[in-house]
Amino acid sequence: MSAHAEAHGHAGEHHGPPTANRSSRIDATTLGMLLFIGSEAMLFGSFFAAYFFVRVVNPIAPAHWPPAPFHFPIFVAGVNTVILVTSSFTMHWALQSIKRGDRAGLKAGLVSTIALGLAFLLTQGIEYAHVGFNPGDGAFASAFFGLTGLHGAHVLIGLTLLTIAAVRAFRGHYTPEHHHGVELPGIYWHFVDVMWIVVYVTVYLL
Amino acid sequence: MTTAAQHEHDTPQAFEPFGPRARGFLLRAGWIRATWCTALFFLVGMFIVVGSRAIFDMHPVYNWTIITLTGALTMAPLGFLTGIGAFDYWFYWISGRPTREEDHSGHGAKAWPDYFRINTDHKVIGVQYTVTTFFFFVIGGLMAMLFRAELAQPGLQFFSSQTFNGLVSMHAVLMIFLFIIPAFAGLANFVVPLMLGAPDMAFPRLNALSFWLLPIAGVMFMSSFLAPGGPFAAGWTGYAPLSVDSPVGSMFFNMGVQWAGASSILTALNFLVTIITMRAPGMTFWRMPLLVWANFTTSLLVVIATPFIAGSQFFVMFDRVLHTSFFVPAHGGYVLGYQHIFWFYSHPAVYIMMLPGFGIVSEVVSTMSRKPIFGYRLMALSFIGILILGFSVWAHHMFVAGMADWLRVPMMISTLLIAVPTGIKVFSWLATLWEGKIRLTTPMLWALGFISMFVIGGLSGIFLGSVPIDIHASDTYFIVAHIHYVLFGGSVFTIFAGVYYWFPKVTGRMYNERLGQLHFWLTFVSFNVTFFPMHYIGLRGMPRRVFDYSNQFGSLNMIISVASFVLGVSTVIFFYNMITSWTRGPIASSNPWGAHTLEWQVSSPPPIFNFDEIPVVVGGPYEYGVPGARHAILHSAPAAEEVHA
């Protein structure tokens, strides 16, 4: 962001840009992340649309969801929901810690969030292996694997961002004043968490 | 998303050299590293496929089609981006190395090779965008001339039917995804930060990445000609289940759209953040030039709608690769779902391809008539109106597709409602022209040509928006005529208007006015001779997307084909004019049109960081002829513009 011009005091080296005017109270990177999340939400929207077409609009939609011989593992996915919701709290803990200047809390919060995220993915992998059907078993399976798979991919992206934040945290970055690198992955992680609750309710429970 | 998180403050190490490390020619960011990284990532992609096929016991382990496609369509582009240096800064940042967020080592262009590198200067990126898109414009145009040659007479003369379908599909895809949409992004990239009084875009490195995603998509689309079974040939709409069952060439379309879509989402995000957070002091929303308003609304459309085309192409790929059945009725899939999801992007995409043009024309018309734009606020609000209404009309593409009957009338009504905000714009332009001191320069000719052609396209749109006429005219050449009146007579004319209008600003030289006018008139006439008869042959029943047709349409099709070749030749004049003027044209003054917006208040071409000091905006952007009115105060610039006021 060109918003902060030469703050480091070597103006003699080259003529830097003028400091851009800040015309909004919202920070540019936060706004960028929020817009990106908006776009991601619409990608989920397209997958929900496909699910809606298969399950509701389709004149030959199955009367039961999922169709007769198959079951969704509601309990296992429920446990997974608890795992992911918990990880949102540990994420919040990490962020609050660095705001207070508590570096140990930041590291512990990030590491436990990553661990919970990995546990979620592992559980989902095991669930896929034992769910009793595969993507080729009809449109209900397409919708199921589509939505849960898309969400799993987003957990992976979130974990990547958190890992980057953790690497930098362990290398001594972030201060109570400057912690965007924790805050933004945190916003994304909460989005992934909320999306999972929507996916869980629509796909498994409804 | 590392991209948005890039601006973390680092532990200050003020006297470290933060720029890229000095490296040997193999490791230096650039084309050599891009070449070997592309190859390396291609092999890694192949390895991942072979490895996972072996782990999951799939036979045969070495399915060369799948292996090559995965390597080429997913991993190789990432390798290219890594090699060219799009991620370098972020890699440093991720690894915790000291980085300086104000790193200008890749900023600005001193000589032409700088245009072939990763560059963080929005002006360089704007030029990169525009030149790249015109390259694809030429290719797409040549393809159109090829299949117009085929269509000059009934019967099959030059191509196989599959090649013909491929040429038609490729023409549309290149023109839409590689020309119109990114050409507007390119012009706006150059102009919007200047207009706002900002030194650059909000995220310069993301901006560079957005650009380099674009040639990847273009190369991917075109290389589908090399795929076994030929290029994708299901039309640019790629309707399922046809696109699921067609040869693997259509995978190039599925994936190319993802790369092009990522490019436009990231650019749009960048525009939105720039417009919201980096306006100069005094630049309220109601003082922004209409081009900025246009790009603001367009970017919102892109961010909200583009994921839907990504989704639709993912489903098609899943149906092909993972054997899901999103669109396979035999397994409970819902075929029409594809069209709903596709058009939920692709109808707003029509406005993505039109609103920036509205912005350009507003600039040109007001400046060249020496009058304030008529109804500025309503012009801005009608952008918002189109933005909202644009999301409620997608199913008018599906009146004959067999969708639910009750959807037809609401979609018809919302479609016809869009004529209201669009009509506001057209009448505002006309009222701006009214009793103005009109200067018929080349950009103004294109703007006037746009207004007249777009009205014709809009009127045929009202025909097509009405269910009864659409049922008759669906899938005929009437549709082809309509789409070309709005996308060629509409969007492309505005792109030409913009290119001529800002040419002196971008290059610092003036184009040849006589050649520009010749280009306009030749294009204008041949465009109408090419596309106007299509209304007639369409209503007479000639279907679109066919290589053979009834003999009764023979003579008209011959006229259309000849005119389309003249249209192609007219573009040669344009390129000749651009290239010679750029190299040897007369030096342009900083403000040849006497415009008030900020980009004209700096030198031509603008200084590397746009402004020495951020200007202060004190009034509206179009106060031509208003005594004492000023748009902005630049402290260090000579105040020479009152002459034109």
Side-chain angles (χ1 to χ4, degrees):
Chain A
M1 179 172 57
S2 316
H4 313 282
E6 301 301 298
H8 301 298
H10 40 192
E13 286 175 18
H14 64 274
H15 168 64
T19 309
N21 182 48
R22 283 193 62 168
S23 53
S24 168
R25 267 170 298 175
I26 190 163
D27 166 74
T29 46
T30 312
L31 180 62
M33 178 52 100
L34 292 177
L35 287 167
F36 181 70
I37 285 176
S39 201
E40 290 273 65
M42 293 308 283
L43 183 61
F44 271 96
S46 72
F47 277 69
F48 277 113
Y51 159 88
F52 175 73
F53 285 126
V54 164
R55 187 174 169 184
V56 181
V57 177
N58 199 350
I60 53 164
H64 294 284
W65 185 262
F70 302 112
H71 296 285
F72 291 149
I74 293 178
F75 177 71
V76 177
V79 172
N80 234 356
T81 311
V82 174
I83 293 176
L84 209 56
V85 171
T86 314
S87 77
S88 257
F89 284 100
T90 54
M91 186 67 231
H92 188 68
W93 173 37
L95 183 61
Q96 293 305 316
S97 300
I98 188 62
K99 279 183 181 171
R100 289 192 309 267
D102 172 8
R103 305 199 57 83
L106 167 73
K107 291 177 196 168
L110 282 175
V111 168
S112 42
T113 310
I114 292 170
L116 286 166
L118 285 173
F120 176 88
L121 278 187
L122 192 67
T123 316
Q124 200 178 34
I126 296 169
E127 181 191 326
Y128 276 9
H130 296 281
V131 76
F133 54 86
N134 62 46
D137 282 338
F140 85 94
S142 313
F144 172 82
F145 284 110
L147 270 170
T148 55
L150 179 74
H151 183 266
H154 280 79
V155 174
L156 202 60
I157 297 170
L159 282 176
T160 312
L161 299 184
L162 288 178
T163 310
I164 294 167
V167 167
R168 289 176 61 83
F170 277 89
R171 287 190 158 220
H173 292 270
Y174 307 125
T175 58
E177 292 79 34
H178 299 297
H179 45 262
H180 264 127
V182 184
E183 198 169 352
L184 296 182
I187 298 175
Y188 190 81
W189 190 254
H190 295 313
F191 158 72
V192 169
D193 192 3
V194 170
M195 256 357 269
W196 171 254
I197 294 172
V198 180
V199 170
Y200 180 64
V201 170
T202 44
V203 173
Y204 291 84
L205 299 185
L206 284 181
Chain B
M1 194 181 72
T2 54
T3 49
Q6 62 183 274
H7 302 303
E8 188 53 41
H9 281 257
D10 294 286
T11 43
Q13 304 198 12
F15 299 101
E16 282 270 337
F18 290 97
R21 286 171 174 165
R23 284 172 156 158
F25 73 100
L26 273 180
L27 288 176
R28 203 178 301 145
W31 286 90
I32 296 172
R33 197 175 85 181
T35 310
W36 68 258
C37 276
T38 309
L40 179 72
F41 275 62
F42 177 62
L43 292 175
V44 169
M46 286 178 132
F47 178 77
I48 292 174
V49 180
V50 173
S52 44
R53 285 181 82 84
I55 290 171
F56 291 108
D57 246 3
M58 288 162 84
H59 296 285
V61 170
Y62 299 95
N63 181 332
W64 286 109
T65 316
I66 298 174
I67 295 170
T68 320
L69 274 182
T70 314
L73 300 183
T74 61
M75 292 304 285
L78 289 177
F80 173 77
L81 291 173
T82 310
I84 201 85
F87 304 129
D88 276 15
Y89 180 91
W90 295 323
F91 283 149
Y92 293 154
W93 187 87
I94 286 168
S95 64
R97 265 193 54 189
T99 48
R100 184 179 65 179
E101 66 176 54
E102 284 294 315
D103 176 12
H104 298 294
S105 54
H107 198 92
K110 294 180 187 67
W112 65 266
D114 289 338
Y115 285 91
F116 293 85
R117 295 203 189 105
I118 283 283
N119 207 309
T120 49
D121 185 350
H122 73 98
K123 300 183 286 299
V124 176
I125 295 172
V127 173
Q128 285 176 325
Y129 256 111
T130 314
V131 172
T132 310
T133 53
F134 270 98
F135 170 77
F136 288 106
F137 175 63
V138 171
I139 305 223
L142 288 174
M143 285 174 179
M145 285 160 79
L146 285 178
F147 66 72
R148 270 326 305 183
E150 170 65 53
L151 283 169
Q153 287 173 22
L156 206 54
Q157 285 97 29
F158 302 112
F159 306 114
S160 70
S161 55
Q162 182 72 9
T163 312
F164 177 87
N165 288 341
L167 285 172
V168 173
S169 309
M170 191 77 77
H171 164 72
V173 165
L174 289 184
M175 289 304 192
I176 290 169
F177 293 112
L178 269 303
F179 178 55
I180 295 179
I181 295 177
F184 282 134
L187 287 171
N189 230 306
F190 194 98
V191 177
V192 165
L194 282 161
M195 278 184 163
L196 290 173
D200 204 320
M201 296 278 273
F203 307 122
R205 284 175 282 269
L206 189 65
N207 201 12
L209 173 66
S210 315
F211 164 70
W212 286 97
L213 285 165
L214 196 69
I216 291 175
V219 170
M220 199 171 281
F221 287 136
M222 290 203 294
S223 51
S224 80
F225 274 103
L226 306 173
F232 59 92
W236 84 274
T237 50
Y239 275 7
L242 177 64
S243 55
V244 178
D245 300 328
S246 51
V248 286
S250 71
M251 293 279 285
F252 288 76
F253 171 66
N254 301 149
M255 277 311 293
V257 167
Q258 311 289 2
W259 294 101
S263 163
S264 52
I265 291 177
L266 295 179
T267 310
L269 191 152
N270 218 337
F271 278 133
L272 286 172
V273 176
T274 309
I275 294 170
I276 292 174
T277 67
M278 290 175 76
R279 283 169 285 127
M283 178 70 86
T284 60
F285 265 70
W286 293 119
R287 282 178 183 165
M288 293 196 312
L290 286 171
L291 182 89
V292 179
W293 267 102
N295 278 286
F296 183 71
T297 43
T298 306
S299 301
L300 277 173
L301 277 170
V302 169
V303 166
I304 298 170
T306 310
F308 268 75
I309 197 176
S312 69
Q313 302 312 314
F314 276 134
F315 301 141
V316 169
M317 273 194 292
F318 292 161
D319 273 9
R320 176 193 295 271
V321 178
L322 302 176
H323 306 292
T324 55
S325 27
F326 285 104
F327 309 124
V328 186
H331 295 121
Y334 187 64
V335 176
L336 270 184
Y338 177 86
Q339 296 183 30
H340 279 296
I341 296 170
F342 176 83
W343 285 115
F344 194 77
Y345 162 74
S346 295
H347 195 83
V350 174
Y351 302 111
I352 292 168
M353 289 184 266
M354 202 60 261
L355 295 188
F358 289 167
I360 293 171
V361 167
S362 303
E363 300 297 322
V364 173
V365 164
S366 177
T367 307
M368 299 296 177
S369 325
R370 312 310 299 160
K371 272 184 65 191
I373 199 95
F374 182 87
Y376 168 84
R377 289 201 176 199
L378 212 52
M379 283 290 257
L381 287 175
S382 60
F383 279 122
I384 307 275
I386 294 174
L387 164 77
I388 294 165
L389 279 175
F391 280 108
S392 66
V393 302
W394 78 91
H396 70 214
H397 294 271
M398 301 166 60
F399 283 153
V400 296
M403 67 169 185
D405 287 341
W406 60 265
L407 254 177
R408 283 177 169 176
V409 171
M411 287 292 165
M412 177 174 97
I413 293 171
S414 55
T415 303
L416 300 184
L417 269 180
I418 290 210
V420 175
T422 321
I424 287 173
K425 293 202 163 303
V426 172
F427 285 114
S428 287
W429 291 320
L430 296 181
T432 308
L433 291 166
W434 184 262
E435 294 199 335
K437 276 169 69 180
I438 295 174
R439 292 185 291 187
L440 285 176
T441 54
T442 310
M444 186 60 164
L445 286 177
W446 285 106
L448 296 177
F450 155 78
I451 296 173
S452 45
M453 293 303 97
F454 185 73
V455 166
I456 296 179
L459 289 177
S460 61
I462 292 178
F463 284 41
L464 292 171
S466 319
V467 177
I469 303 175
D470 183 75
I471 289 174
H472 177 66
S474 235
D475 274 324
T476 67
Y477 261 81
F478 193 83
I479 305 273
V480 181
H482 166 71
I483 198 73
H484 284 93
Y485 267 87
V486 289
L487 286 190
F488 196 135
S491 309
V492 180
F493 277 30
T494 64
I495 291 171
F496 280 133
V499 168
Y500 281 110
Y501 183 66
W502 283 296
F503 185 85
K505 180 53 63 184
V506 174
T507 62
R509 290 175 184 271
M510 202 59 187
Y511 62 87
N512 184 318
E513 182 68 33
R514 288 180 65 183
L515 284 178
Q517 304 217 355
L518 179 66
H519 171 219
F520 169 75
W521 285 111
L522 200 56
T523 305
F524 187 75
V525 172
S526 58
F527 164 79
N528 276 293
V529 180
T530 305
F531 294 107
F532 202 79
M534 290 185 182
H535 291 108
Y536 175 75
I537 57 173
L539 287 180
R540 298 288 293 170
M542 180 169 161
R544 64 171 173 165
R545 291 174 175 163
V546 290
F547 56 87
D548 189 12
Y549 51 85
S550 160
N551 283 330
Q552 57 167 318
F553 303 122
S555 48
L556 269 177
N557 267 299
M558 179 58 92
I559 293 171
I560 290 173
S561 288
V562 171
S564 77
F565 277 80
V566 179
L567 193 53
V569 170
S570 76
T571 316
V572 176
I573 302 172
F574 167 73
F575 284 108
Y576 175 79
N577 191 0
M578 290 294 111
I579 293 167
T580 54
S581 303
W582 202 336
T583 49
R584 307 193 294 272
I587 301 294
S589 70
S590 67
N591 192 358
W593 314 123
H596 284 189
T597 45
L598 275 167
E599 82 274 26
W600 297 104
Q601 314 311 323
V602 295
S603 63
S604 296
I608 181 166
F609 294 116
N610 295 355
F611 303 96
D612 292 329
E613 272 176 72
I614 297 300
V616 177
V617 178
V618 292
Y622 304 115
E623 306 298 315
Y624 300 108
V626 180
R630 291 201 72 174
H631 177 46
I633 299 168
L634 279 80
H635 298 288
S636 44
E641 301 318 318
E642 274 92 49
V643 183
H644 301 284

